[in-house]
Amino acid sequence: MSTPPRTEFRSAQGRLRYAYGTNGLTDLRLPDALALLADLGYDGVGLTLDHMHLDPETPGLARRTAEVAALLERHGLTVTVETGARYVLDARRKHHPTLLDADADARARRTALLLKAVRVAGDLGAHAVHCFSGVLPEGTPEHLGWQRLADGIGTVLAPAQALGVPLAVEPEPGHLLGDLAGFHRLRDGLGDPQGLGLTLDLGHCLCLEPRTPAECVAAARPWLRHVQIEDMRRGVHEHLPFGEGEMDLPPVLAALREAEYTGLVTVELPRDSHAGPRLAAESLRALTDAESASAQPGPTRPAESATAGGRRRPC
């Protein structure tokens, strides 16, 4: 498979900076994954702290982080630290514990993970730390869930600000903080702290936001700290390779340039690690082709029907 030389991507001026998430490369050792992304021409990596790559729950984290920092420097890659590992804290329950748990000790474990992520991000020179709210536990009043979320995020904000690392909360479909309105509820509740930013997943915008992904970018511009991208269909939360859903890439990428967003735009395909190397190459080609098309006059392809193509496995 032919891919453009890395120097071609590096020399382009004013273009977006693309990354690929390691949660879509879990069949590769981390050094091999970073080498692959560098060779393909990516600018960075979305590094999920998990057992198969940089495990935050085993001894020697500082030493292993230093080794990763050396690899990133060798390959010229920027990094965002992601905390969405499915079973890193609980081997039997996906994404547990969360900041919304009834058990204070369980919430403290999630807070501790976020504090580790902030320290790792500081040591790696990451441009953001990603986090999420979690699903509201059954029987928990919504107002109590929001209070627990604000308390947990508030605990992490000061250490993150001290290290100069923005905390970027991701609205996740089905979670308490599930959309842009939820992000603003948290932000307002915390008094609009400077260190609190947004991870905007553009596929999620297509899935459930009332505005288009491009309009979401414009609306979220002041708080954008990290961007994730993949294909998706309206009303169906399934991360798809580009070309399998309804994402109209050129206007979305044009909106990011218009917003003067300079962080990473990270491809998020966590269910496709079995094809990670191929999809990493194809994804970068799709993004760079679409960005080039977005700079040209003329119409982009129309969005397809929200029911076209059937359903794939859920996230």
Side-chain angles (χ1 to χ4, degrees):
M1 177 179 299
S2 175
T3 58
R6 186 166 182 248
T7 52
E8 178 184 326
F9 289 107
R10 294 292 178 186
S11 62
Q13 298 298 315
R15 66 169 183 80
L16 297 170
R17 299 195 299 151
Y18 298 115
Y20 200 90
T22 59
N23 61 2
L25 295 170
T26 56
D27 291 294
L28 275 65
R29 298 178 182 88
L30 185 57
D32 293 335
L34 297 180
L36 169 74
L37 297 181
D39 288 345
L40 289 174
Y42 279 93
D43 299 288
V45 59
L47 176 60
T48 296
L49 301 185
D50 208 348
H51 62 88
M52 75 289 293
H53 288 147
L54 185 57
D55 189 345
E57 294 295 293
T58 54
L61 180 59
R63 172 187 55 78
R64 290 181 286 111
T65 300
E67 293 171 353
V68 173
L71 287 171
L72 293 169
E73 183 176 7
R74 179 190 309 167
H75 293 302
L77 294 171
T78 305
V79 63
T80 298
V81 173
E82 309 253 2
T83 62
R86 296 183 182 92
Y87 298 101
V88 70
L89 294 179
D90 188 324
R92 301 189 180 192
R93 295 188 304 162
K94 180 181 176 182
H95 294 319
H96 279 275
T98 75
L99 295 175
L100 310 181
D101 265 281
D103 184 350
D105 289 339
R107 297 198 302 273
R109 288 191 64 204
R110 175 60 62 174
T111 302
L113 175 66
L114 295 180
L115 291 170
K116 288 180 184 177
V118 165
R119 291 194 293 272
V120 168
D123 290 343
L124 296 180
H127 78 81
V129 169
H130 152 279
C131 61
F132 57 89
S133 69
V135 176
L136 186 69
E138 186 176 354
T140 301
E142 187 174 305
H143 72 87
L144 182 56
W146 282 106
Q147 183 59 58
R148 289 173 181 167
L149 179 61
D151 289 345
I153 295 296
T155 299
V156 181
L157 273 174
Q161 286 183 277
L163 290 172
V165 179
L167 195 62
V169 181
E170 179 186 6
E172 182 77 23
H175 285 205
L176 176 66
L177 197 162
D179 54 19
L180 286 173
F183 168 74
H184 290 302
R185 176 171 177 170
L186 175 65
R187 181 179 62 82
D188 291 342
L190 287 169
D192 195 16
Q194 183 177 2
L196 182 64
L198 173 70
T199 292
L200 187 67
D201 188 311
L202 295 166
H204 295 171
C205 295
L206 176 61
C207 177
L208 56 77
E209 293 286 351
R211 290 173 283 201
T212 67
E215 290 169 340
C216 288
V217 169
R221 176 178 179 172
W223 304 279
L224 278 183
R225 299 297 178 268
H226 184 44
V227 170
Q228 296 173 344
I229 193 167
E230 64 283 316
D231 216 334
M232 204 168 283
R233 299 188 183 102
R234 182 71 178 168
V236 184
H237 182 200
E238 298 170 287
H239 291 233
L240 304 173
F242 296 120
E244 295 189 15
E246 300 165 14
M247 181 70 73
D248 193 2
L249 283 174
V252 172
L253 301 181
L256 288 170
R257 288 202 315 275
E258 179 66 23
E260 299 180 333
Y261 174 70
T262 59
L264 293 175
V265 181
T266 303
V267 178
E268 189 81 359
L269 293 174
R271 293 281 180 151
D272 290 285
S273 282
H274 63 283
R278 173 178 60 82
L279 288 174
E282 292 177 357
S283 296
L284 185 57
R285 182 178 295 109
L287 289 166
T288 53
D289 286 352
E291 187 174 357
S292 177
S294 72
Q296 305 299 322
T300 58
R301 69 173 178 87
E304 300 168 5
S305 164
T307 58
R311 296 174 63 99
R312 289 179 91 240
R313 54 195 184 280
C315 298

